[in-house]
């Protein structure tokens, strides 16, 4: 199976073996993986393009660990953006925002700074260690 870009916006940042290979190579590569698409299966990579300089196992592991460490913040920003989009109606030009609405939206924008060490469980899909602001009533 070849790994190609997906319509899922997380596909390039999700900590998977295929994304680690592309990150380590610095470009989209053509290869296949027989078995699980995770770092434990690094020996199953089969290159389909002989002109590609193949990154070392060490470079792929380093790229995977980088993806793994960056992913929680990516998920935090994605969830924050959804919450901001859901409250865009509060900030339309023909409406005056309350102080509580302004504070809530600003708190959402500040989350990457105020929640500097989010966690993400890849198995359950749960984002943790984030103090989400309370929406105004």
């Amino acid at each position: 199976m070849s790994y190609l870009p997906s319509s899922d916006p997380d596909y390039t940042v999700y900590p998977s073996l295929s994304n680690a290979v592309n990150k380590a190579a610095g470009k989209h590569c053509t290869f296949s993986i027989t078995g699980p698409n995770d770092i434990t299966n690094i020996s199953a990579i089969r290159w389909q393009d002989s002109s590609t300089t193949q990154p070392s196992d060490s470079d792929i592991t380093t790229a995977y660990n980088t993806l793994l460490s960056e992913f929680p913040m990516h998920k935090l920003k994605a969830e924050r953006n959804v919450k901001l989009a859901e409250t865009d109606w509060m900030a339309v030009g023909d409406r005056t925002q309350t102080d509580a609405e302004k504070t809530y939206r600003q708190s959402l924008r500040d989350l990457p700074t105020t929640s500097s060490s989010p966690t993400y469980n890849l198995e359950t899909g749960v984002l943790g260690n984030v103090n989400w602001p309370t929406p105004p009533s």
Side-chain angles (χ1 to χ4, degrees):
M1 147 182 240
S2 293
Y3 290 90
L4 300 174
S6 152
S7 59
D8 179 355
D10 288 338
Y11 83 91
T12 59
V13 296
Y14 188 81
S16 65
L17 179 56
S18 56
N19 286 335
V21 169
N22 290 328
K23 185 173 184 71
K27 64 178 184 175
H28 178 76
C29 300
T30 306
F31 58 93
S32 63
I33 301 171
T34 304
N37 186 17
D38 66 43
I39 198 65
T40 63
N41 200 25
I42 203 164
S43 63
I45 298 170
R46 302 294 176 256
W47 295 93
Q48 297 173 347
D49 179 3
S50 59
S51 65
T52 298
T53 302
Q54 299 172 11
S56 68
D57 288 1
S58 174
D59 289 343
I60 293 169
T61 300
T62 298
Y64 177 83
N65 289 333
T66 299
L67 288 169
L68 194 60
S69 69
E70 293 172 348
F71 195 67
M73 184 58 75
H74 170 78
K75 291 303 286 184
L76 178 142
K77 289 177 180 178
E79 288 188 30
R80 181 265 328 252
N81 290 346
V82 168
K83 291 179 184 298
L84 277 170
E86 291 172 348
T87 62
D88 279 348
W89 65 270
M90 293 177 182
V92 293
D94 62 347
R95 181 180 183 286
T96 302
Q97 289 184 78
T98 66
D99 287 341
E101 290 168 346
K102 289 177 186 176
T103 299
Y104 175 68
R105 288 175 53 83
Q106 186 60 53
S107 295
L108 287 172
R109 287 190 291 276
D110 292 343
L111 271 174
T113 304
T114 59
S115 295
S116 59
S117 56
T119 59
Y120 188 78
N121 186 316
L122 293 172
E123 292 179 18
T124 63
V126 174
L127 183 63
N129 202 26
V130 177
N131 293 318
W132 294 100
T134 303
S137 44

